[in-house]
Amino acid sequence: ATAHPQMKNLFGKVLGNRFLFDHVLMLNRPAGSKGRRWHAHQYRTGQHEVEDPTGTGNFVTKEFLQQQCVRTLCYPEGATIEDGCEFAIIPGSHLYRIPYKWSTDRPDYDDDMEKNWLNGKTHPFTGEPLKILRLSLPPGSMVSFVHHMPHHVGHRKAGTDTRWGLLMAYRSPDLTAEPAKWNE
């Protein structure tokens, strides 16, 4: 997961030459699962964040800050729109530098996200309106995204098998902490 040349190259582009394997989780979504509504994640314990946990989404940056985490989801059997529980992201939203609702209730479905937080926001580089992208991932797919990017896992349809996934998180070292405290 960390030594493969393609993975090292990918993470090196985002995290630099020095990065840590932070944590790994097995995820399962049984039939009828309500998924995970729109949310994002903070870096480590949130000490470097520029907005509060719910945030206004007004802090836009074109800089890629030093404190980053990359989440990689692996779906051995896929995660398709047809079966439900697809994965959705908003490309460019991570540049608003807010870990969207990382420590609060997450009631937002697509219509709430589009009507409220997403309304009127544009990509800081292209100027194009931000929009939701739903991914239908075939078996064996991996998807990597920056921790601040709002993301969502849809409802799992009734009558489907449990969908298994693996979440691997990598991050840059926190230079303000002692090396022994890099991982909580």
Side-chain angles (χ1 to χ4, degrees), residues 1 4 6 8 30 40-41 45 50 62 76 79 82 88 94 105 109 111 113 121 124 135 145 148 151:
H4 192 281
Q6 286 177 311
K8 287 176 75 169
H41 303 274
T45 55
V50 295
K62 290 185 178 181
E82 294 77 26
H94 65 290
D105 287 337
Y109 288 102
D111 55 344
M113 184 57 120
K121 287 192 173 54
L135 305 175
F145 58 100
H148 276 78
H151 53 284

Side-chain angles (χ1 to χ4, degrees), residues 95-133:
L95 296 169
Y96 281 84
R97 193 60 192 187
I98 174 175
Y100 182 74
K101 293 194 174 182
W102 58 272
S103 69
T104 65
D105 287 337
R106 302 167 181 167
D108 305 274
Y109 288 102
D110 290 357
D111 55 344
D112 299 312
M113 184 57 120
E114 289 170 339
K115 182 176 66 176
N116 298 313
W117 189 86
L118 197 52
N119 187 23
K121 287 192 173 54
T122 59
H123 193 290
F125 286 101
T126 68
E128 295 291 317
L130 293 183
K131 57 186 170 188
I132 295 170
L133 175 63

Side-chain angles (χ1 to χ4, degrees), residues 51-88:
E51 291 199 39
D52 64 46
T54 54
T56 61
N58 292 326
F59 187 86
V60 180
T61 181
K62 290 185 178 181
E63 290 182 34
F64 206 73
L65 303 179
Q66 292 296 101
Q67 297 84 18
Q68 294 295 331
C69 183
V70 173
R71 297 178 180 279
T72 297
L73 293 167
C74 177
Y75 296 109
E77 296 174 341
T80 65
I81 292 171
E82 294 77 26
D83 287 339
C85 225
E86 75 277 5
F87 184 69

